[in-house]
Amino acid sequence: MKEEYLCKTPKDMEALGAKFGKQAEKGTVISLRGSLGAGKTVFARGLARALGINESIVSPTFTLIQEYDGTLKMYHMDLYRLSCEEDFMALGGEDFLYSDGICLIEWSEIIDEMLPKGTIFVNIKINDDQSRVVEVTDERSRS
Ligand SMILES: Nc1ncnc2c1ncn2[C@@H]1O[C@H](COP(=O)(O)OP(=O)(O)O)[C@@H](O)[C@H]1O
Ligand SMILES: [Mg+2]
C-alpha cells in the first residue's frame, strides 16, 4: 500500500507521526527517509508523543540508538554515522528489528538488506515552499 500526505508545517508532521504511533503494534519497524532536515525526527517526536513519551526527541546521531518507555517501547535509531552492517550487528541492532516495541530508523539505507519484511517506509521530500510530501509504503502489501 502506498499513501501520500502533505505536511505544511512541523505540527502537521508531528500529527502524522502521532497517527502512526496510535496504530503501531509491537514489532513495527519504520524506516524514515529523506535528506538532512527533511523532518524525520519531527515525525519520530510526534510518534513518541502518541505513545505517551514526553522526553525530548532528538536524532541519536552519536549514540545510534535511543530507547524510550511509553505505552510501547520506542527504539529510535540514527545510523548516519554507521559504516557497515557488521557494526550494526556488533551493537546488537538486530534485536531492535524484532522487538517488543516500535523501531524507528533514520538513515537505514546501510542496513537495507536486514530490514524485516513488514517494514514501513516513510519517505519525506521538501517542497520549495518548505512543506513536505510524505510517501508511505507498507512493505506488507508489496509483492
Ligand atoms: N512541513 C514541515 N515538516 C517537518 N519539519 C519542518 C517543516 N517545515 C519546517 N520544518 C523544520 O525542518 C526541520 C526538520 O528537522 P528534523 O526532523 O530534525 O530533520 P531530519 O531528522 O530529517 O534530519 C525542523 O527544524 C522543522 O521545524
Ligand atoms: Mg533526524
Side-chain angles (χ1 to χ4, degrees):
M1 152 294 293
K2 208 172 230 186
E3 280 169 350
E4 214 172 78
Y5 301 88
L6 177 66
C7 293
K8 291 189 175 163
T9 64
K11 246 197 154 120
D12 290 347
M13 186 66 78
E14 276 204 31
L16 185 61
K19 171 180 144 77
F20 281 82
K22 282 177 201 136
Q23 296 169 353
E25 296 163 8
K26 284 183 182 182
T28 300
V29 177
I30 300 179
S31 165
L32 296 168
R33 305 192 168 215
S35 56
L36 200 67
K40 302 181 290 296
T41 300
V42 173
F43 182 98
R45 185 172 303 132
L47 196 147
R49 297 295 176 255
L51 298 178
I53 297 161
N54 294 313
E55 289 157 81
S56 70
I57 306 291
V58 293
S59 270
T61 311
F62 295 96
T63 49
L64 296 177
I65 301 174
Q66 187 67 51
E67 232 179 287
Y68 301 94
D69 258 318
T71 47
L72 285 174
K73 290 230 181 206
M74 179 175 125
Y75 306 105
H76 184 197
M77 305 191 201
D78 181 326
L79 306 182
Y80 191 71
R81 297 194 164 263
L82 201 77
S83 45
C84 59
E85 274 187 0
E86 286 69 26
D87 286 357
F88 184 75
M89 304 280 271
L91 276 165
E94 219 176 351
D95 291 346
F96 298 102
L97 300 178
Y98 300 92
S99 76
D100 56 350
I102 298 173
C103 183
L104 292 170
I105 316 172
E106 300 188 33
W107 303 105
S108 70
E109 284 81 353
I110 195 137
I111 58 149
D112 262 355
E113 304 284 301
M114 295 178 68
L115 291 173
K117 253 200 156 42
T119 298
I120 297 168
F121 291 91
V122 173
N123 211 325
I124 308 171
K125 292 205 178 77
I126 308 178
N127 292 322
D128 288 341
D129 65 0
Q130 291 306 305
S131 65
R132 304 316 199 239
V133 173
V134 185
E135 189 189 89
V136 178
T137 311
D138 197 328
E139 277 273 273
R140 283 168 291 194
S141 53
R142 262 198 199 170
S143 53

